[in-house]
Amino acid sequence: MGMCFPLCLSLFLLKSAIAEASDPMCRHQGKFDLSGVSRKGDVVLTGLFPIHFRTIQPNLSFHEEPSPPVCDGFNSRSFRWMQTMIFALQEINKDPMLLPNITLGYNIYDTCTTPTHSLRAALTLASGPYEDASNYNCEGTSSIPVIVGDSGSTQSLVVARTMMSFNIPMVSYFSSCTCLSNRNEFPAFFRTMPSDAYQAKGVARLVQRFGWTWVGSIVGDDDYSHNAIQAFSDEVRKLGVCIAFTEVIPKVYSRRKILQITENIKASTARVIVMFALEGDAYPLISEVVKQNITGRQWIASEAWVTSALIATKENFLSLSGTIGFAIHRAEIPGLRSFLLQVHPFKTPNNLFVKELWEVIFNCSFGMAVEQKGKPASISSQKKCTGLEELTNTYNIYSDVSELRISYNVYKAVYTIAHSLHNLYSCENGKGPFENQTCANIFDVKPWQLAHYLKEVRYAIKLGEEIYFDENGDIVATYDIVNWQKNEDGSVRFVHVGHFDSATDSGQDLVVNETAIIWAGGKVEAPESLCSKHCLPGTRKAIRNGEQICCFDCLPCADGEISNETDSLNCVPCALEHWSNPQRNECIPKEIEFLSFEEAMGITLTTVSLLGTASTVSVAGVLWYYRKTPIVRANNSELSFLLLLSLMLCFLCSLTFIGQPSVWSCMLRHTLFGVSFVLCISCVLAKTLVVLMAFKATLPNNNMMKWFGTLQQILSVLLCTVVQVVICVVWLLVSSPFPVKQTKYYNQKIIFECDLGSVTAFCCVLGYIGFLSCMSFVLAFLARKLPDNFNEAKFITFSMLIFCAVWLTFIPAYISSPGKYTVAVEIFAILASSFGLLICIFAPKCYIILFKPERNTKKYLMGKTCSKKST
Ligand SMILES: *[C@@H]1O[C@H](CO)[C@@H](O)[C@H](O)[C@H]1NC(C)=O
Ligand SMILES: *[C@@H]1O[C@H](CO)[C@@H](O)[C@H](O)[C@H]1NC(C)=O
Ligand SMILES: *[C@@H]1O[C@H](CO)[C@@H](O)[C@H](O)[C@H]1NC(C)=O
Ligand SMILES: *[C@@H]1O[C@H](CO)[C@@H](O)[C@H](O)[C@H]1NC(C)=O
């Protein structure tokens, strides 16, 4: 009751207002001038259709009181919509399953695309079931509180705002404005037209699908366009797409503004332009674009103009070829065409619109009807309609059923209401959805009861689709994606290339058959629309200051970093043992460096080392062959052979430094080196000592030579060597050298080297060699002037000098050049010092043995000694 009182009151007020304004309603020339068609039925639906597309003020004269505006501009397309509603109702009435025993009637009003007309028509419904406002038959029928309509969003908004106070449900077939999904404002608004929100999402998905990140946008100056572009911008921003420009087409034609927009289109680098605009608004801009011959832009059309006959013309195709757009789902309605063709101005006399249809299609006039409507009499000169014209013989928008999109929406709307009524009618008392499980009475349906059933309705329409409304009263949005292609005669053909279904998961909601598309300019490849070219792998995006994220520079990755994907945001450092390739798109394993046997330096060093070994062996051979000769005998030959053996080891030990380091070669390298060198130096030291001893022995009362015989010499050599062996064994046991892949020296290569394990141990080994060689050097230096059979001390001094020099220069070289060159330097030092010893100590002897045998006599040697002594 509490609910009813204000409702009843407003109904009462409205009723009296209408009654005052026009009495009676059903008159041809009432002040309201509502025209329409109706048909009796048990239950009567109200439909609002924009049969005319504008209102005009009839000839004004100062003598008469101004007449109300009249409708003008017959729209045969919306007349087809209206006929589709009648067709659907007829089908339902024939259907024995749907609403059996109940006949549906209709009251259909022409809204003239004008909100005020729509509102008046709607108010006749609100004014109650007792009055009927059709303008030529006043048969009273009981309307149920539901409106099929309105068409445009603006009209629907006006009607819905008013009707909502009565809670009267509306099912619109053409209003797509997202604003109408607002459940708080419009709790009983339903539609079979998809909301623009879905279209915006679909267009965004399309833009994403083809990788366009830089798109221009053009919108009309109305609710539909503004809401759509807003939703579109929000969607694409989420997908990382940037809007290059947004231009608004003024509602009132302004050439200056249109020119400014075309300039912007030409100046922009965006190749893809999305336009959300009503066809009437888009038309002047498109005309200018075509006039200026702006081509090469891929236009993305919204549902409002994609199939517009006004825009899709032969002439416009030059600039608009390949346009892709979202169109309302198209369907075939069986039987509709023959129904549409049945109309005839004489056979359906109570449908005034048929006469107008005739006049528009056949360009003739019935005379009377025109005068009655008070239109300007300018068309009186036209030929008279005979009624013998054949509708089937001419092409016209009315009977063309190839593009049934909105008509199908109307069809769905009527069926949806019928199914809701059917559910309401089938309600069993005691199981009803309302208070106390009551049901509604079909002959006295309350608006809120029908709204309840509309919310709940869910059925499969004959054409296969499942129809229901979501919580906002929106139907599942299915769009066809159409592509403008050229017919042979140059006219535009809308080719179905895919569809968008909002009920499907994102990812599968957009289905496009790319091969079926012909793009702008007749291309078969999708155009590109980017602000900046893609960043190739190997580079990363650097957003330009103050610009959109789609405009960026590509910076190459730094050394050691890569990016392996197009448009990477950053470069990824390579793993430790990897490095970037020169293209910076792949991490490649670093080059592993060590001195190998294969390379030139390795081969050279190996050769030299083997050469050294061979020379040592030959020297040993020569000495052995001439072992009986005085010069060999004079210089304690045992030590000489030991020295040669150790030199051979020294030459050979350099080989352990070449090749890939392994556990064994690392362990062997420094220890073998240390031991052979100590052996070598000890021999030299022993020789020096022998020289010193020999000199002392020539002095009286001295038989030191007895103390330092061959055995003792060998033993002392071995003793010295054992010290080094002990150091090496301790080194190997405590912290032996091991192979390691060293990354710290160079970025781009790994040094495969032997880690010393213990630097102290290495220093001890070197230090011991150094100590022994210094001692040899000092002693040899002291002994260099001593008379001898064959003074070796001079040569030993010299060889030790070379030895020390080599090793002293080795240290800085060793420290400063890591990598295979260190090893090479070390080998070089080993070979150089070994050759130094070999040459300095043995070359003079061999020279005498081989080339000056006359000097190789005891006499000569003695003589030399004597002569030396005497000097
Ligand atoms: C329809 O009317 C017929 C005859 O009056 C009746 O037999 C039938 O039961 C009715 N059907 C329904 C569903 O009410
Ligand atoms: C339009 O421009 C295209 C190339 O941009 C050219 O081939 C064509 O002839 C032009 N048409 C007119 C009418 O100027
Ligand atoms: C896509 O379009 C091409 C060309 O029209 C057609 O041959 C092909 O069958 C279509 N593919 C699908 C999956 O519809
Ligand atoms: C790029 O590199 C990452 C990590 O290295 C890898 O997971 C991914 O598969 C690579 N992508 C391509 C396209 O090579």
Side-chain angles (χ1 to χ4, degrees):
M1 282 307 278
M3 276 269 295
C4 182
F5 179 66
L7 187 69
C8 296
L9 184 64
S10 38
L11 274 174
F12 172 75
L13 288 175
L14 265 164
K15 253 159 90 177
S16 41
I18 290 163
E20 263 170 45
S22 90
D23 180 45
M25 291 286 291
C26 40
R27 219 197 256 165
H28 285 169
Q29 282 168 298
K31 274 186 188 163
F32 272 6
D33 194 36
L34 277 175
S35 56
V37 292
S38 72
R39 192 197 141 105
K40 274 210 284 188
D42 303 323
V43 165
V44 173
L45 307 188
T46 305
L48 303 180
F49 290 91
I51 310 291
H52 293 85
F53 56 75
R54 62 177 170 235
T55 55
I56 55 165
Q57 205 69 34
N59 39 349
L60 275 175
S61 81
F62 295 105
H63 313 298
E64 302 168 24
E65 86 180 87
S67 359
V70 295
C71 299
D72 181 48
F74 184 79
N75 186 341
S76 34
R77 185 178 173 218
S78 22
F79 181 58
R80 162 155 46 82
W81 303 346
M82 185 193 104
Q83 290 289 84
T84 309
M85 173 164 172
I86 297 172
F87 172 74
L89 288 173
Q90 280 193 3
E91 265 193 4
I92 293 163
N93 283 340
K94 280 187 210 146
D95 190 334
M97 306 302 293
L98 193 58
L99 288 171
N101 293 354
I102 289 186
T103 313
L104 297 181
Y106 51 83
N107 276 329
I108 296 174
Y109 300 100
D110 175 14
T111 65
C112 299
T113 329
T114 313
T116 49
H117 273 68
S118 299
L119 193 55
R120 280 176 200 151
L123 284 177
T124 59
L125 174 66
S127 67
Y130 310 106
E131 281 184 68
D132 164 52
S134 71
N135 62 348
Y136 44 85
N137 61 347
C138 271
E139 300 162 82
T141 41
S142 69
S143 300
I144 52 158
V146 64
I147 294 173
V148 179
D150 202 338
S151 58
S153 294
T154 311
Q155 290 100 292
S156 283
L157 273 171
V158 171
V159 175
R161 286 218 174 91
T162 316
M163 288 301 111
M164 285 318 138
S165 47
F166 307 111
N167 233 334
I168 292 179
M170 297 170 68
V171 183
S172 173
Y173 49 86
F174 197 34
S175 302
S176 58
C177 181
T178 317
C179 50
L180 287 161
S181 294
N182 183 344
R183 241 21 192 164
N184 294 331
E185 213 178 334
F186 310 113
F189 183 85
F190 302 89
R191 52 181 154 182
T192 51
M193 175 80 177
S195 159
D196 290 331
Y198 296 111
Q199 182 181 196
K201 197 172 156 202
V203 175
R205 296 269 297 110
L206 185 74
V207 163
Q208 180 201 27
R209 160 72 201 269
F210 291 105
W212 300 317
T213 56
W214 188 240
V215 298
S217 61
I218 296 174
V219 292
D221 196 3
D222 52 67
D223 289 343
Y224 159 76
S225 311
H226 284 300
N227 279 304
I229 195 68
Q230 187 59 49
F232 173 71
S233 313
D234 292 348
E235 283 292 332
V236 291
R237 200 165 300 128
K238 279 186 244 160
L239 302 172
V241 175
C242 305
I243 308 270
F245 59 83
T246 302
E247 292 290 344
V248 180
I249 309 173
K251 204 70 187 164
V252 180
Y253 177 76
S254 146
R255 182 159 168 79
R256 198 178 54 80
K257 181 70 190 160
I258 295 282
L259 283 178
Q260 193 186 323
I261 296 176
T262 52
E263 282 314 309
N264 261 346
I265 293 174
K266 282 194 277 184
S268 173
T269 52
R271 295 285 116 177
V272 170
I273 297 171
V274 176
M275 180 153 78
F276 289 98
L278 303 175
E279 55 185 316
D281 296 336
Y283 184 72
L285 176 69
I286 295 294
S287 305
E288 187 62 38
V289 165
V290 173
K291 194 169 148 202
Q292 296 194 14
N293 194 19
I294 301 176
T295 53
R297 303 299 189 282
Q298 176 64 48
W299 293 81
I300 308 293
S302 70
E303 133 279 311
W305 67 276
V306 67
T307 53
S308 155
L310 187 64
I311 297 180
T313 59
K314 246 186 224 185
E315 301 72 45
N316 292 354
F317 194 76
L318 282 177
S319 288
L320 298 185
S321 71
T323 295
I324 282 197
F326 276 60
I328 306 302
H329 182 53
R330 189 180 70 90
E332 309 274 349
I333 304 176
L336 179 64
R337 183 172 155 82
S338 60
F339 175 81
L340 292 177
L341 291 176
Q342 275 169 19
V343 297
H344 191 277
F346 300 152
K347 288 181 200 151
T348 41
N350 59 346
N351 193 336
L352 269 192
F353 302 126
V354 178
K355 285 199 168 120
E356 284 194 69
L357 176 75
W358 229 252
E359 289 174 351
V360 167
I361 292 178
F362 300 109
N363 200 14
C364 60
S365 104
F366 284 101
M368 284 302 289
V370 175
E371 286 226 340
Q372 258 185 346
K373 297 219 61 178
K375 273 188 202 155
S378 57
I379 41 173
S380 56
S381 57
Q382 284 175 325
K383 62 174 180 183
K384 256 192 142 25
C385 301
T386 60
L388 298 173
E389 295 87 358
E390 272 292 333
L391 207 50
T392 31
N393 290 351
T394 43
Y395 168 78
N396 60 76
I397 295 175
Y398 168 70
S399 60
D400 177 10
V401 291
S402 64
E403 295 287 327
L404 294 181
R405 298 178 192 276
I406 307 305
S407 303
Y408 180 49
N409 280 353
V410 172
Y411 188 78
K412 283 193 281 191
V414 174
Y415 262 91
T416 308
I417 293 172
H419 275 275
S420 308
L421 285 173
H422 181 84
N423 294 346
L424 182 147
Y425 181 60
S426 329
C427 170
E428 283 178 48
N429 239 329
K431 287 185 189 165
F434 305 118
E435 213 172 317
N436 300 330
Q437 277 81 45
T438 53
C439 285
N441 174 6
I442 188 144
F443 299 107
D444 183 20
V445 182
K446 298 282 175 289
W448 54 271
Q449 291 173 326
L450 185 55
H452 169 84
Y453 279 103
L454 277 169
K455 267 179 209 153
E456 305 282 307
V457 73
R458 190 174 187 126
Y459 68 101
I461 202 162
K462 274 188 289 182
L463 308 174
E465 219 179 318
E466 189 177 29
I467 310 248
Y468 59 91
F469 295 114
D470 68 10
E471 67 275 15
N472 294 328
D474 290 328
I475 200 164
V476 165
T478 45
Y479 290 97
D480 289 344
I481 296 170
V482 297
N483 178 221
W484 291 19
Q485 296 180 11
K486 209 176 188 166
N487 276 327
E488 265 138 40
D489 61 356
S491 60
V492 179
R493 182 162 44 118
F494 304 121
V495 179
H496 182 261
V497 294
H499 57 87
F500 176 78
D501 187 348
S502 73
T504 323
D505 301 339
S506 63
Q508 278 123 45
D509 48 3
L510 182 77
V511 177
V512 183
N513 181 359
E514 231 180 304
T515 52
I517 301 178
I518 297 178
W519 298 95
K523 300 212 169 59
V524 287
E525 296 235 320
E528 272 200 338
S529 192
L530 306 167
C531 179
S532 305
K533 285 248 177 289
H534 286 297
C535 285
L536 295 175
T539 58
R540 71 175 172 85
K541 282 188 190 177
I543 310 294
R544 293 186 199 138
N545 245 348
E547 286 187 40
Q548 299 201 53
I549 56 158
C550 306
C551 301
F552 45 78
D553 296 313
C554 298
L555 298 185
C557 289
D559 269 0
E561 293 187 347
I562 59 146
S563 63
N564 61 356
E565 271 152 20
T566 308
D567 285 341
S568 306
L569 282 180
N570 38 37
C571 299
V572 190
C574 289
L576 192 63
E577 293 194 0
H578 288 73
W579 196 251
S580 51
N581 60 353
Q583 295 85 39
R584 306 263 192 277
N585 58 1
E586 213 183 336
C587 284
I588 45 171
K590 289 182 184 174
E591 184 193 335
I592 295 184
E593 191 184 81
F594 57 87
L595 187 63
S596 80
F597 285 112
E598 278 92 44
E599 63 191 291
M601 190 154 58
I603 293 170
T604 315
L605 291 173
T606 310
T607 317
V608 172
S609 149
L610 292 178
L611 210 65
T613 315
S615 331
T616 317
V617 171
S618 359
V619 169
V622 169
L623 290 194
W624 180 255
Y625 188 77
Y626 293 100
R627 64 188 180 281
K628 298 275 164 44
T629 57
I631 197 158
V632 181
R633 289 164 60 97
N635 294 289
N636 31 31
S637 52
E638 295 81 4
L639 272 183
S640 294
F641 285 116
L642 200 55
L643 179 59
L644 283 172
L645 178 71
S646 66
L647 277 177
M648 207 167 73
L649 284 180
C650 288
F651 279 122
L652 288 178
C653 90
S654 66
L655 292 182
T656 62
F657 287 81
I658 309 176
Q660 181 174 330
S662 65
V663 178
W664 281 108
S665 78
C666 281
M667 278 163 59
L668 211 55
R669 251 176 215 197
H670 294 107
T671 46
L672 189 60
F673 156 77
V675 171
S676 20
F677 267 75
V678 164
L679 187 61
C680 182
I681 303 295
S682 321
C683 291
V684 174
L685 184 63
K687 269 179 173 292
T688 319
L689 282 175
V690 169
V691 173
L692 280 174
M693 299 287 178
F695 172 72
K696 288 270 161 45
T698 57
L699 301 178
N701 308 324
N702 197 326
N703 47 2
M704 234 157 143
M705 273 318 275
K706 280 186 197 134
W707 291 104
F708 201 62
T710 308
L711 188 64
Q712 286 87 346
Q713 290 164 18
I714 305 266
L715 279 179
S716 60
V717 166
L718 293 184
L719 192 69
C720 288
T721 312
V722 163
V723 173
Q724 183 76 313
V725 170
V726 170
I727 294 177
C728 288
V729 167
V730 171
W731 183 9
L732 291 184
L733 288 181
V734 174
S735 156
S736 77
F738 53 92
V740 65
K741 287 181 176 154
Q742 200 59 266
T743 51
K744 65 184 177 196
Y745 304 125
Y746 299 106
N747 285 328
Q748 304 183 35
K749 55 185 178 187
I750 297 177
I751 306 297
F752 199 4
E753 63 174 13
C754 286
D755 190 279
L756 291 174
S758 157
V759 179
T760 323
F762 183 60
C763 290
C764 287
V765 168
L766 281 190
Y768 187 58
I769 297 173
F771 166 74
L772 288 184
S773 45
C774 286
M775 219 158 77
S776 306
F777 176 64
V778 171
L779 292 181
F781 186 76
L782 295 177
R784 77 191 186 288
K785 290 266 169 69
L786 292 182
D788 188 7
N789 311 349
F790 174 80
N791 195 354
E792 263 192 314
K794 207 161 53 186
F795 301 114
I796 289 174
T797 317
F798 196 54
S799 69
M800 282 296 111
L801 207 56
I802 290 177
F803 186 90
C804 293
V806 166
W807 286 102
L808 281 177
T809 48
F810 161 76
I811 291 166
Y814 185 85
I815 290 167
S816 66
S817 65
K820 61 179 177 186
Y821 298 102
T822 328
V823 180
V825 165
E826 199 169 349
I827 297 173
F828 180 78
I830 292 171
L831 293 178
S833 51
S834 307
F835 268 114
L837 289 178
L838 183 68
I839 290 169
C840 290
I841 296 177
F842 293 102
K845 282 183 199 150
C846 290
Y847 176 74
I848 291 172
I849 291 170
L850 294 176
F851 301 108
K852 302 281 182 202
E854 71 276 5
R855 292 204 211 155
N856 194 0
T857 59
K858 214 166 183 169
K859 197 173 146 207
Y860 181 81
L861 284 175
M862 294 302 281
K864 198 182 165 202
T865 318
C866 293
S867 65
K868 259 205 183 133
K869 264 182 194 165
S870 60
T871 49

